[in-house]
Amino acid sequence: MSISAVRFASLVSLVLLLLFSSNYLTAQTDEKKTSSKTPEKFDDALPKQTLKKFSISGKAAPTPRLKYQLQAAVSQRVPGNAALSYYRSILLLNEFNQHLQSKLTTAEEKRKFYTTDEEFYYENLQKPRKEIPIEQFRKFVEDRLSILALKELRSATLCTGCDWDTHRRIDQENVSLLLPELNSIRGLARQINYSTRLDVLDGKFDAAILHLRDGVTLAKRTGEGNTLISMLVGIAVMSQQLGEIEFLIQQQEAPNLFWALTDLPTPFLNKQGVIEGELRGMASLLASFKAADQGPITESKAQDLFLKMTELLRKIAGGDSKISVLEEFGMRAALHIMIDAQQAQAKKTLKEAGKSDKEIESMSPTQRYMVAEWIVCQDVHDTLFTTFNMPLLQASKEFDKQEKKLKELVSDSRAKNPLRNLLMLQIPAIVKVHQANVRLERQLVALRHIEAIRLYVARIGKLPEKLEDITEVTLPNDPLFEKPIEYRLEAGKGILLLPNRPEETATPNNNFRYEISLN
């Protein structure tokens, strides 16, 4: 399902998309190279991890310390809505891509452009600068760069605000809301990566950092776009920028970006807008069920409200939302049977929610069932997003407790219905977005450590034996464990470890090892 499809129904696709794209992040990730080799002695207890190798040189901090920034300086910002410039850049990029496609007239030309050349690009992302055929790489990039789209992106970076108009659209369209711009935003991010990598190869570090600023700003504004999907795409875009930063800081004479990285907000993405948007969407989705909790209503009226929800769910599924007379007759008959079977559980749920016996008995059977379901589903949703808003370690532990419980509740065969099935899509999605956000925060902190090590090397001329030797700056803690990152000097290499939680299975997405050597 494409990213422009219904946002709830596309959550799973986006989760998978992030999982596949997350390993693109860095030019020096050695995961593929090491997966078939015998693990090093140090890795015996780490069956799965992402291994990143850095070859660095010392570099002192710039003066002033914010000479380089990854977000627009306050003095540079101008009034405006960045979303408009992002939409314009999307249009310009689409026109540019259409022009490119029109020039490819034969199957061989298309195969080379979309397959052979793309393979060349990704292969060279994994290589150090000295091994990259720069002129061939330059041709690849320049053939695909839309200068006009990049110009609009720069304008967007300098705007003071960014309003995607999502809240209004959620209220009006609910889960039928389409977000086609998200797929195009990934294309914009790739334009930024093309430009950044080429400028780094040419030694134009100032220009490269300006492109990175555009990419970091795009990631943040996308990730705070009021839906889980937007946050997921924003994290993926930011991960791409981190890959380019990792490549940049390994170059001789590359400026030190410790303060530029420190200047970014912590946490990088503000989750409040996402939580508010998702809660608004669920409130709108449950409106007809909630409407049943307005005092006693007739059985016929309650069934009308139930059928209204059924029409909405059919619309979400992409089918014909209108219910025919024959279908309605069959649905009302089936509903009667289902409601009778659920009365005992519904009464129990209502009683536990504080309803009096008088209130419960005054409700019609379908009303009783709908109010009980509204309470259950709203509680599930509230639990998920309350947990999502907790600090990283606390949220991770709480999700461990809640995920199984929520799955059992939502998939309860005694009360299975389309509404609960819809909620089932959100459980893995929220957990995956949380895990991706944890990964992003830890990668940002790891980069700050590497840049701090470059500060130390610039002063002392060798790698530190321990992080406490670094006195130039104060190092941040591992944002997951909220304690200092483990570091050691081993065989002439600095080793930074960001392991998974003990209760988790180690994977390349939660277990990181950074090997740092001097070039």
Side-chain angles (χ1 to χ4, degrees), residues 117-161:
D117 290 354
E118 291 290 319
E119 290 173 354
F120 163 81
Y121 173 72
Y122 284 110
E123 286 173 3
N124 282 281
L125 286 181
Q126 309 301 319
K127 297 178 181 178
R129 184 183 186 282
K130 62 185 179 181
E131 297 179 14
I132 298 174
I134 294 179
E135 291 309 313
Q136 187 179 351
F137 192 90
R138 183 192 314 283
K139 184 178 186 311
F140 171 90
V141 169
E142 290 179 345
D143 285 347
R144 289 161 173 78
L145 271 186
S146 171
I147 302 302
L148 293 177
L150 288 169
K151 184 178 179 181
E152 279 296 331
L153 277 168
R154 183 64 48 83
S155 296
T157 298
L158 301 179
C159 287
T160 53

Short mmCIF file of all heavy atoms in Angstrom, two decimals, residues 117-161:
data_model
loop_
_atom_site.label_atom_id
_atom_site.label_comp_id
_atom_site.label_asym_id
_atom_site.label_seq_id
_atom_site.Cartn_x
_atom_site.Cartn_y
_atom_site.Cartn_z
N ASP A 117 22.87 2.46 -12.44
CA ASP A 117 23.39 3.68 -11.82
C ASP A 117 23.02 3.77 -10.35
O ASP A 117 23.80 4.25 -9.53
CB ASP A 117 22.86 4.91 -12.57
CG ASP A 117 23.47 5.06 -13.95
OD1 ASP A 117 24.39 4.28 -14.27
OD2 ASP A 117 23.04 5.95 -14.71
N GLU A 118 21.82 3.32 -10.00
CA GLU A 118 21.41 3.35 -8.60
C GLU A 118 22.29 2.41 -7.76
O GLU A 118 22.67 2.74 -6.63
CB GLU A 118 19.94 2.93 -8.46
CG GLU A 118 18.96 3.92 -9.03
CD GLU A 118 18.88 5.19 -8.19
OE1 GLU A 118 18.90 5.09 -6.96
OE2 GLU A 118 18.82 6.28 -8.79
N GLU A 119 22.62 1.26 -8.30
CA GLU A 119 23.50 0.34 -7.60
C GLU A 119 24.88 0.97 -7.39
O GLU A 119 25.49 0.82 -6.33
CB GLU A 119 23.62 -0.97 -8.38
CG GLU A 119 22.33 -1.79 -8.37
CD GLU A 119 22.42 -3.01 -9.29
OE1 GLU A 119 23.44 -3.13 -10.02
OE2 GLU A 119 21.47 -3.81 -9.31
N PHE A 120 25.35 1.68 -8.40
CA PHE A 120 26.63 2.38 -8.30
C PHE A 120 26.59 3.38 -7.14
O PHE A 120 27.52 3.47 -6.33
CB PHE A 120 26.94 3.10 -9.61
CG PHE A 120 28.00 4.16 -9.51
CD1 PHE A 120 29.35 3.82 -9.51
CD2 PHE A 120 27.65 5.51 -9.40
CE1 PHE A 120 30.32 4.81 -9.39
CE2 PHE A 120 28.62 6.49 -9.28
CZ PHE A 120 29.95 6.14 -9.27
N TYR A 121 25.50 4.13 -7.06
CA TYR A 121 25.37 5.15 -6.02
C TYR A 121 25.42 4.52 -4.63
O TYR A 121 26.20 4.95 -3.77
CB TYR A 121 24.05 5.91 -6.21
CG TYR A 121 23.73 6.89 -5.10
CD1 TYR A 121 24.44 8.08 -4.97
CD2 TYR A 121 22.71 6.63 -4.19
CE1 TYR A 121 24.14 8.97 -3.96
CE2 TYR A 121 22.40 7.52 -3.17
CZ TYR A 121 23.12 8.70 -3.06
OH TYR A 121 22.83 9.59 -2.07
N TYR A 122 24.62 3.50 -4.40
CA TYR A 122 24.56 2.90 -3.07
C TYR A 122 25.84 2.17 -2.71
O TYR A 122 26.26 2.15 -1.54
CB TYR A 122 23.35 1.98 -2.95
CG TYR A 122 22.07 2.76 -2.78
CD1 TYR A 122 21.11 2.81 -3.80
CD2 TYR A 122 21.82 3.48 -1.62
CE1 TYR A 122 19.94 3.55 -3.65
CE2 TYR A 122 20.66 4.21 -1.46
CZ TYR A 122 19.72 4.24 -2.48
OH TYR A 122 18.58 4.98 -2.32
N GLU A 123 26.49 1.58 -3.69
CA GLU A 123 27.77 0.93 -3.43
C GLU A 123 28.80 1.95 -2.93
O GLU A 123 29.57 1.68 -2.01
CB GLU A 123 28.30 0.23 -4.68
CG GLU A 123 27.57 -1.05 -5.03
CD GLU A 123 28.00 -1.62 -6.38
OE1 GLU A 123 28.91 -1.00 -7.00
OE2 GLU A 123 27.43 -2.63 -6.81
N ASN A 124 28.79 3.13 -3.54
CA ASN A 124 29.78 4.13 -3.18
C ASN A 124 29.43 4.87 -1.90
O ASN A 124 30.30 5.55 -1.33
CB ASN A 124 29.98 5.12 -4.33
CG ASN A 124 30.86 4.54 -5.43
OD1 ASN A 124 32.07 4.50 -5.31
ND2 ASN A 124 30.23 4.03 -6.49
N LEU A 125 28.20 4.77 -1.43
CA LEU A 125 27.88 5.32 -0.12
C LEU A 125 28.62 4.60 0.98
O LEU A 125 28.85 5.14 2.06
CB LEU A 125 26.37 5.24 0.14
CG LEU A 125 25.46 6.21 -0.61
CD1 LEU A 125 24.02 5.98 -0.20
CD2 LEU A 125 25.86 7.66 -0.36
N GLN A 126 29.01 3.35 0.71
CA GLN A 126 29.66 2.53 1.73
C GLN A 126 31.18 2.64 1.71
O GLN A 126 31.86 2.00 2.51
CB GLN A 126 29.27 1.05 1.51
CG GLN A 126 27.78 0.79 1.40
CD GLN A 126 27.01 1.24 2.62
OE1 GLN A 126 27.46 1.04 3.74
NE2 GLN A 126 25.86 1.85 2.41
N LYS A 127 31.73 3.46 0.83
CA LYS A 127 33.17 3.52 0.66
C LYS A 127 33.75 4.80 1.27
O LYS A 127 33.10 5.84 1.29
CB LYS A 127 33.53 3.47 -0.83
CG LYS A 127 33.14 2.18 -1.53
CD LYS A 127 33.51 2.25 -3.01
CE LYS A 127 33.11 0.97 -3.74
NZ LYS A 127 33.41 1.06 -5.19
N PRO A 128 35.03 4.74 1.71
CA PRO A 128 35.71 5.97 2.11
C PRO A 128 35.99 6.83 0.88
O PRO A 128 35.98 6.35 -0.26
CB PRO A 128 37.00 5.47 2.75
CG PRO A 128 37.23 4.12 2.15
CD PRO A 128 35.87 3.54 1.90
N ARG A 129 36.25 8.10 1.11
CA ARG A 129 36.40 9.05 0.02
C ARG A 129 37.45 8.62 -1.00
O ARG A 129 37.24 8.75 -2.22
CB ARG A 129 36.77 10.43 0.58
CG ARG A 129 36.85 11.53 -0.47
CD ARG A 129 37.28 12.85 0.13
NE ARG A 129 37.22 13.92 -0.84
CZ ARG A 129 38.12 14.13 -1.79
NH1 ARG A 129 39.18 13.33 -1.87
NH2 ARG A 129 37.99 15.13 -2.64
N LYS A 130 38.55 8.10 -0.54
CA LYS A 130 39.65 7.78 -1.46
C LYS A 130 39.30 6.66 -2.44
O LYS A 130 39.97 6.51 -3.46
CB LYS A 130 40.90 7.41 -0.67
CG LYS A 130 40.75 6.17 0.21
CD LYS A 130 42.00 5.93 1.04
CE LYS A 130 41.84 4.70 1.94
NZ LYS A 130 43.05 4.48 2.77
N GLU A 131 38.26 5.88 -2.14
CA GLU A 131 37.88 4.78 -3.03
C GLU A 131 36.73 5.13 -3.96
O GLU A 131 36.31 4.30 -4.77
CB GLU A 131 37.50 3.55 -2.19
CG GLU A 131 38.65 3.00 -1.35
CD GLU A 131 38.23 1.81 -0.52
OE1 GLU A 131 37.14 1.26 -0.79
OE2 GLU A 131 38.98 1.43 0.41
N ILE A 132 36.20 6.33 -3.86
CA ILE A 132 35.05 6.73 -4.66
C ILE A 132 35.51 7.38 -5.97
O ILE A 132 36.31 8.31 -5.95
CB ILE A 132 34.16 7.72 -3.89
CG1 ILE A 132 33.60 7.07 -2.62
CG2 ILE A 132 33.00 8.21 -4.77
CD1 ILE A 132 32.84 8.02 -1.73
N PRO A 133 35.03 6.89 -7.11
CA PRO A 133 35.34 7.56 -8.40
C PRO A 133 34.56 8.88 -8.48
O PRO A 133 33.40 8.90 -8.91
CB PRO A 133 34.88 6.55 -9.44
CG PRO A 133 33.83 5.72 -8.76
CD PRO A 133 34.20 5.68 -7.31
N ILE A 134 35.19 9.96 -8.06
CA ILE A 134 34.45 11.19 -7.80
C ILE A 134 33.79 11.76 -9.04
O ILE A 134 32.63 12.20 -8.99
CB ILE A 134 35.39 12.24 -7.15
CG1 ILE A 134 35.81 11.73 -5.76
CG2 ILE A 134 34.68 13.60 -7.03
CD1 ILE A 134 36.74 12.66 -5.02
N GLU A 135 34.47 11.73 -10.18
CA GLU A 135 33.87 12.31 -11.38
C GLU A 135 32.66 11.51 -11.85
O GLU A 135 31.66 12.08 -12.29
CB GLU A 135 34.92 12.42 -12.49
CG GLU A 135 36.00 13.45 -12.21
CD GLU A 135 35.41 14.80 -11.83
OE1 GLU A 135 34.49 15.28 -12.53
OE2 GLU A 135 35.86 15.39 -10.82
N GLN A 136 32.74 10.20 -11.76
CA GLN A 136 31.58 9.37 -12.11
C GLN A 136 30.44 9.60 -11.12
O GLN A 136 29.27 9.67 -11.51
CB GLN A 136 31.99 7.90 -12.11
CG GLN A 136 30.90 6.95 -12.62
CD GLN A 136 31.35 5.50 -12.64
OE1 GLN A 136 32.53 5.20 -12.43
NE2 GLN A 136 30.41 4.60 -12.89
N PHE A 137 30.81 9.75 -9.86
CA PHE A 137 29.81 10.03 -8.84
C PHE A 137 29.17 11.39 -9.09
O PHE A 137 27.96 11.57 -8.95
CB PHE A 137 30.46 9.99 -7.45
CG PHE A 137 29.48 9.99 -6.31
CD1 PHE A 137 28.99 8.81 -5.79
CD2 PHE A 137 29.05 11.19 -5.75
CE1 PHE A 137 28.10 8.80 -4.73
CE2 PHE A 137 28.15 11.19 -4.70
CZ PHE A 137 27.67 10.00 -4.19
N ARG A 138 29.99 12.37 -9.46
CA ARG A 138 29.49 13.71 -9.73
C ARG A 138 28.47 13.68 -10.87
O ARG A 138 27.42 14.31 -10.79
CB ARG A 138 30.65 14.64 -10.09
CG ARG A 138 30.22 16.10 -10.31
CD ARG A 138 31.35 16.92 -10.94
NE ARG A 138 32.60 16.68 -10.26
CZ ARG A 138 32.93 17.21 -9.09
NH1 ARG A 138 32.07 18.02 -8.48
NH2 ARG A 138 34.10 16.94 -8.53
N LYS A 139 28.77 12.93 -11.91
CA LYS A 139 27.84 12.87 -13.04
C LYS A 139 26.51 12.26 -12.61
O LYS A 139 25.43 12.74 -13.00
CB LYS A 139 28.43 12.07 -14.19
CG LYS A 139 27.54 12.04 -15.44
CD LYS A 139 28.17 11.27 -16.57
CE LYS A 139 27.33 11.40 -17.84
NZ LYS A 139 25.89 11.15 -17.66
N PHE A 140 26.58 11.20 -11.81
CA PHE A 140 25.35 10.58 -11.32
C PHE A 140 24.50 11.61 -10.58
O PHE A 140 23.30 11.72 -10.81
CB PHE A 140 25.68 9.41 -10.39
CG PHE A 140 24.48 8.85 -9.68
CD1 PHE A 140 23.75 7.82 -10.24
CD2 PHE A 140 24.07 9.38 -8.45
CE1 PHE A 140 22.63 7.31 -9.60
CE2 PHE A 140 22.95 8.89 -7.80
CZ PHE A 140 22.23 7.84 -8.38
N VAL A 141 25.12 12.35 -9.68
CA VAL A 141 24.39 13.30 -8.86
C VAL A 141 23.85 14.46 -9.70
O VAL A 141 22.68 14.83 -9.60
CB VAL A 141 25.27 13.82 -7.71
CG1 VAL A 141 24.62 15.01 -7.02
CG2 VAL A 141 25.55 12.70 -6.71
N GLU A 142 24.70 15.04 -10.50
CA GLU A 142 24.28 16.22 -11.26
C GLU A 142 23.17 15.90 -12.25
O GLU A 142 22.33 16.76 -12.55
CB GLU A 142 25.48 16.83 -11.99
CG GLU A 142 26.48 17.47 -11.02
CD GLU A 142 27.70 18.05 -11.71
OE1 GLU A 142 27.91 17.71 -12.91
OE2 GLU A 142 28.44 18.82 -11.07
N ASP A 143 23.13 14.67 -12.75
CA ASP A 143 22.04 14.27 -13.65
C ASP A 143 20.70 14.21 -12.92
O ASP A 143 19.65 14.25 -13.55
CB ASP A 143 22.33 12.89 -14.25
CG ASP A 143 23.39 12.94 -15.33
OD1 ASP A 143 23.72 14.06 -15.78
OD2 ASP A 143 23.89 11.87 -15.72
N ARG A 144 20.75 14.12 -11.59
CA ARG A 144 19.52 13.92 -10.83
C ARG A 144 19.16 15.09 -9.92
O ARG A 144 18.17 15.02 -9.20
CB ARG A 144 19.66 12.64 -9.99
CG ARG A 144 19.63 11.37 -10.84
CD ARG A 144 20.21 10.18 -10.09
NE ARG A 144 20.04 8.94 -10.84
CZ ARG A 144 20.79 8.59 -11.87
NH1 ARG A 144 21.77 9.38 -12.28
NH2 ARG A 144 20.57 7.44 -12.51
N LEU A 145 19.94 16.13 -9.93
CA LEU A 145 19.69 17.27 -9.03
C LEU A 145 18.71 18.26 -9.64
O LEU A 145 18.88 18.70 -10.78
CB LEU A 145 21.00 18.00 -8.73
CG LEU A 145 21.82 17.52 -7.53
CD1 LEU A 145 22.98 18.47 -7.31
CD2 LEU A 145 20.98 17.43 -6.28
N SER A 146 17.71 18.62 -8.85
CA SER A 146 16.79 19.69 -9.23
C SER A 146 17.18 20.95 -8.44
O SER A 146 16.87 21.06 -7.25
CB SER A 146 15.34 19.30 -8.92
OG SER A 146 14.49 20.41 -9.10
N ILE A 147 17.87 21.86 -9.10
CA ILE A 147 18.34 23.07 -8.44
C ILE A 147 17.17 23.90 -7.94
O ILE A 147 17.22 24.49 -6.85
CB ILE A 147 19.21 23.91 -9.40
CG1 ILE A 147 20.39 23.07 -9.91
CG2 ILE A 147 19.71 25.16 -8.72
CD1 ILE A 147 21.28 22.52 -8.82
N LEU A 148 16.09 23.95 -8.70
CA LEU A 148 14.93 24.75 -8.30
C LEU A 148 14.27 24.17 -7.04
O LEU A 148 13.85 24.92 -6.15
CB LEU A 148 13.92 24.84 -9.44
CG LEU A 148 14.37 25.62 -10.68
CD1 LEU A 148 13.30 25.57 -11.76
CD2 LEU A 148 14.68 27.07 -10.31
N ALA A 149 14.19 22.85 -6.97
CA ALA A 149 13.61 22.23 -5.78
C ALA A 149 14.48 22.50 -4.55
O ALA A 149 13.97 22.79 -3.46
CB ALA A 149 13.45 20.72 -5.99
N LEU A 150 15.79 22.44 -4.71
CA LEU A 150 16.70 22.73 -3.61
C LEU A 150 16.59 24.18 -3.15
O LEU A 150 16.70 24.48 -1.96
CB LEU A 150 18.14 22.41 -4.02
CG LEU A 150 18.48 20.92 -4.17
CD1 LEU A 150 19.84 20.76 -4.83
CD2 LEU A 150 18.46 20.24 -2.80
N LYS A 151 16.37 25.09 -4.10
CA LYS A 151 16.21 26.50 -3.75
C LYS A 151 14.98 26.70 -2.88
O LYS A 151 15.01 27.45 -1.89
CB LYS A 151 16.12 27.34 -5.02
CG LYS A 151 16.04 28.84 -4.78
CD LYS A 151 16.00 29.60 -6.09
CE LYS A 151 15.88 31.10 -5.84
NZ LYS A 151 15.83 31.85 -7.13
N GLU A 152 13.88 26.04 -3.23
CA GLU A 152 12.67 26.15 -2.42
C GLU A 152 12.86 25.52 -1.04
O GLU A 152 12.32 25.99 -0.05
CB GLU A 152 11.49 25.51 -3.14
CG GLU A 152 10.83 26.37 -4.19
CD GLU A 152 10.19 27.62 -3.61
OE1 GLU A 152 9.76 27.61 -2.44
OE2 GLU A 152 10.15 28.63 -4.33
N LEU A 153 13.63 24.44 -1.00
CA LEU A 153 13.92 23.81 0.29
C LEU A 153 14.68 24.77 1.21
O LEU A 153 14.40 24.84 2.41
CB LEU A 153 14.75 22.55 0.08
CG LEU A 153 13.98 21.27 -0.28
CD1 LEU A 153 14.94 20.19 -0.73
CD2 LEU A 153 13.15 20.80 0.90
N ARG A 154 15.60 25.52 0.64
CA ARG A 154 16.35 26.49 1.43
C ARG A 154 15.42 27.58 1.97
O ARG A 154 15.54 28.01 3.11
CB ARG A 154 17.47 27.09 0.58
CG ARG A 154 18.40 28.08 1.29
CD ARG A 154 19.18 27.43 2.42
NE ARG A 154 19.81 26.18 2.07
CZ ARG A 154 21.01 26.07 1.44
NH1 ARG A 154 21.66 27.17 1.10
NH2 ARG A 154 21.52 24.89 1.17
N SER A 155 14.47 28.00 1.14
CA SER A 155 13.49 28.99 1.60
C SER A 155 12.66 28.44 2.76
O SER A 155 12.37 29.16 3.72
CB SER A 155 12.56 29.39 0.45
OG SER A 155 13.28 30.03 -0.59
N ALA A 156 12.27 27.18 2.66
CA ALA A 156 11.48 26.55 3.72
C ALA A 156 12.26 26.51 5.03
O ALA A 156 11.71 26.72 6.11
CB ALA A 156 11.06 25.14 3.31
N THR A 157 13.56 26.23 4.95
CA THR A 157 14.39 26.14 6.15
C THR A 157 14.37 27.43 6.95
O THR A 157 14.41 27.42 8.18
CB THR A 157 15.84 25.80 5.75
OG1 THR A 157 15.86 24.52 5.10
CG2 THR A 157 16.77 25.77 6.96
N LEU A 158 14.30 28.54 6.26
CA LEU A 158 14.39 29.84 6.91
C LEU A 158 13.06 30.36 7.43
O LEU A 158 13.02 31.39 8.11
CB LEU A 158 15.01 30.86 5.95
CG LEU A 158 16.42 30.52 5.44
CD1 LEU A 158 16.91 31.59 4.47
CD2 LEU A 158 17.41 30.36 6.60
N CYS A 159 11.96 29.68 7.11
CA CYS A 159 10.65 30.13 7.59
C CYS A 159 10.52 29.87 9.09
O CYS A 159 11.02 28.88 9.62
CB CYS A 159 9.54 29.39 6.86
SG CYS A 159 9.32 29.90 5.14
N THR A 160 9.82 30.77 9.76
CA THR A 160 9.68 30.65 11.22
C THR A 160 8.74 29.53 11.64
O THR A 160 8.85 28.99 12.75
CB THR A 160 9.15 31.98 11.81
OG1 THR A 160 7.96 32.35 11.10
CG2 THR A 160 10.19 33.08 11.68
N GLY A 161 7.78 29.17 10.81
CA GLY A 161 6.80 28.16 11.19
C GLY A 161 6.55 27.15 10.09
O GLY A 161 7.01 27.32 8.95
#
